[in-house]
Structures are given as structure tokens and as C-alpha cells.
Amino acid sequence: MSATGAAAEAEPEEPKAERPYMPGYGIQGPDEGSGLLPWSWAVERLRAARNFWVCTVRPDGRPHAMPVWGAWSGEALLFSSAVPSRKMVNLRANPQVVVTTEEAENPVVIEGRAEILTDTEDLQRFIDLVNSKYATRYRVDFLDPEVNATVAVRPQSVFGLRQGDFTGSPTRWSFTT
């Protein structure tokens, strides 16, 4: 079974949490303020976010950002986009990507690598997640890989912080790849 299929229902092993390097901001130690945030805090926001910002780099180095609907699969943020879209052209040239939740007050920022999914089980899993989350009735043929690319962004690191505790909550989670 593929990595994002039904076997991926459970969250993977807890990633390593630490304070991010943020010189000049007065960030407290990991045991100060509210301390390091639990991974479950980030997952809750990834599951609840309605929109995500996908940030890619054009082949000439210029940045590109665009909002998308997305769904957290338990190990990757999944979204779809038209095959000829700017974000897909960029991701085919450079799969390194940043995806953020739309909420700036309690942000979750994923730095990862995009993978285009074509396996039928992966596509069906994404459709099931999207239909459940957004109350849509898409069929899996909506994700015809010739027309609509389905992307999994697997985190390499994730950053989050809580509103109201800017210096005592920043957390970076690191994933082994």
C-alpha cells in the first residue's frame, strides 16, 4: 500500500521538537513560556485549516505563492492543481516547497518536498479527505493525472507558534526523511 493510503490513518511517530533559531526576537528557552508545543497542536491546525498557501520558486528564481484547499493525511499535506498551473510547473522543476495555514495568529508552516501522486489508492484517499472536509462530492476521476495533479508535501520541518506567547511558544518539529 502506498504511503498516503488507508494504512496512513494513524499519525506517524512524533517528530523531534525544539526551539527554532530566531536571533533578535528574545525567544525563551524550551522550558520557558508555554514551552515547546506538542505535535498534536500543529496537527489540529493542519486538519482544521480551510485554506493553505503554497509557496514555490519559479525556474528563474522568483517566488510564487497561491492559496489552495488541502487536507492533512496523517503524514503529508495533500492538494491538487491543474497540471499546467504555475505552481505545478515550479514544483516539477524544484520540488522544495513551503505550505502554510492561512491563520497568521497561530501559524503552522511546513517546509518539505512535493511528490506528485498517481496511485489510485492515494487519489481516492485524497478525494475522501476533501469530500469530508469541504462537504464536496468530487469523484476520483476529477483527479485525472493528465489534467489535475495531486501533490503530497511531506514535511522535513514544521514551524508553529501560539498567539499571545510569541517568545515562549515557537516550536520547530524535525522529521527524519
Side-chain angles (χ1 to χ4, degrees):
M1 179 165 292
S2 65
T4 57
E9 289 290 333
E11 291 293 324
E13 186 176 319
E14 188 94 4
K16 177 185 173 192
E18 61 190 356
R19 281 286 192 246
Y21 179 65
M22 295 174 62
Y25 287 97
I27 302 303
Q28 299 175 25
D31 297 323
E32 299 175 291
S34 38
L36 296 174
L37 297 170
W39 176 238
S40 60
W41 180 92
V43 168
E44 179 180 311
R45 277 143 192 84
L46 289 169
R47 289 193 187 283
R50 178 164 180 81
N51 300 299
F52 297 86
W53 286 94
V54 175
C55 305
T56 61
V57 178
R58 299 170 198 254
D60 67 5
R62 292 181 296 141
H64 178 264
M66 192 59 61
V68 298
W69 278 2
W72 179 250
S73 74
E75 63 181 27
L77 192 283
L78 307 176
F79 69 90
S80 67
S81 183
V83 169
S85 70
R86 169 50 50 199
K87 72 181 94 38
M88 292 312 304
V89 169
N90 294 348
L91 289 173
R92 282 191 300 276
N94 178 354
Q96 295 301 318
V97 64
V98 172
V99 180
T100 72
T101 55
E102 64 189 335
E103 186 187 2
E105 291 80 20
N106 293 295
V108 177
V109 180
I110 299 171
E111 296 176 349
R113 183 174 186 84
E115 172 191 349
I116 297 172
L117 304 176
T118 57
D119 182 82
T120 304
E121 287 181 25
D122 291 336
L123 301 180
Q124 186 62 57
R125 174 72 177 133
F126 176 57
I127 285 293
D128 292 344
L129 288 168
V130 166
N131 285 342
S132 174
K133 182 175 182 175
Y134 297 99
T136 53
R137 298 174 90 158
Y138 296 130
R139 295 184 352 202
V140 75
D141 60 357
F142 173 75
L143 299 177
D144 176 353
E146 297 295 318
V147 177
N148 230 342
T150 302
V151 178
V153 177
R154 300 182 197 292
Q156 295 167 331
S157 67
V158 174
F159 170 84
L161 64 84
R162 277 194 12 219
Q163 178 182 17
D165 193 10
F166 180 84
T167 62
S169 69
T171 303
R172 179 174 304 282
W173 295 275
S174 300
F175 296 76
T176 54
T177 55

